[in-house]
Amino acid sequence: GAGVSQSPSNKVTEKGKDVELRCDPISGHTALYWYRQSLGQGLEFLIYFQGNSAPDKSGLPSDRFSAERTGGSVSTLTIQRTQQEDSAVYLCASSLGGTGVGNIQYFGAGTRLSVL
Amino acid sequence: AQSVAQPEDQVNVAEGNPLTVKCTYSVSGNPYLFWYVQYPNRGLQFLLKYITGDNLVKGSYGFEAEFNKSQTSFHLKKPSALVSDSALYFCAVRDPNRDDKIIFGKGTRLHILP
C-alpha cells in the first residue's frame, strides 16, 4: 500500500488477556518504530528495528511487551497479560533506514487499545 | 542518549498573530531535528526538518523553524496563525552518529483562537 498500515484500528480487551498489534510498513523501508501515545501524553518510544540488526528494545516498559519483525517487513507488537495502564494508542512508523541520513518517519493511523 | 524537551504543554494564540512552539534538544553530536503535527483523530504528519545548512528551515503549511546551536533549540514558528493550525505538535531529534532512532518530545497542544 501507499502508507503505513496498522491493524486493528481499535482493540478492546479484558485485563489479563494477550493482544497482538500489527504494522505493515511502507515497501522498501528498512526502519520500523513502535511508539505509545497515552491520553494527554506525548510519544513514548517502545522499540526500533533497522534491517537485520538486533532491535533496540530500550523503550519497552516491561517484559510483558515484545515485538518482532518478520522478513524485514511486517511487525507485530505483543502485550501479554494486559493491564489497564496499557490502554493507549500504539503508533507504528517506518522510514528509509541508514545512519547519517535525515529520513522522515511515516506514521500509521495507530491502534487504540482499551483494557477493561 | 539524545533527548528533546517541549517546555509548554499548551500554547494559545489569537488568529492572525505570530506563533512560536518551543523545543530544546540534547545530543552528543550535530543533530537532525524534526517537527511533526497531529491533527485530531489523525496520524502524525511530517512538517519540516533540519539536517544541515541554513538555520532557518521552511516547511509545510507556512511553518518554519530556526535551528540555534548555541541555545540547542529548534523552535517552530509561523508569522500568522490560522484556526486550522490548532493541533498537537511534536519535536523530534536524532543523533546521526549513532543510529536511526528518533526521540520525540511530549508534544505541545496549539490552540488558535478565532
Side-chain angles (χ1 to χ4, degrees), chain A residues 74-85:
Chain A
V74 172
S75 177
T76 302
L77 177 68
T78 301
I79 308 174
Q80 295 178 309
R81 306 180 302 282
T82 52
Q83 304 294 313
Q84 288 182 334
E85 60 263 29

Side-chain angles (χ1 to χ4, degrees), chain B residues 41-62:
Chain B
N41 299 316
R42 294 174 65 178
L44 272 78
Q45 300 175 32
F46 169 77
L47 265 184
L48 52 78
K49 67 178 179 181
Y50 170 82
I51 304 301
T52 186
D54 288 343
N55 290 341
L56 185 64
V57 179
K58 294 187 183 297
S60 306
Y61 311 120

Side-chain angles (χ1 to χ4, degrees), chain A residues 17-88:
Chain A
K17 300 284 189 182
D18 297 351
V19 296
E20 285 189 352
L21 312 180
R22 177 188 169 102
C23 174
D24 257 300
I26 292 173
S27 178
H29 281 189
T30 60
L32 186 147
Y33 311 76
W34 282 99
Y35 296 91
R36 178 168 70 176
Q37 186 176 23
S38 303
L39 187 62
Q41 300 295 316
L43 284 176
E44 177 187 5
F45 167 79
L46 296 178
I47 188 169
Y48 157 60
F49 296 88
Q50 172 52 59
N52 295 320
S53 302
D56 181 339
K57 305 178 181 181
S58 59
L60 294 178
S62 77
D63 58 9
R64 296 186 295 104
F65 287 72
S66 63
E68 62 178 18
R69 189 178 184 191
T70 54
S73 181
V74 172
S75 177
T76 302
L77 177 68
T78 301
I79 308 174
Q80 295 178 309
R81 306 180 302 282
T82 52
Q83 304 294 313
Q84 288 182 334
E85 60 263 29
D86 298 335
S87 296

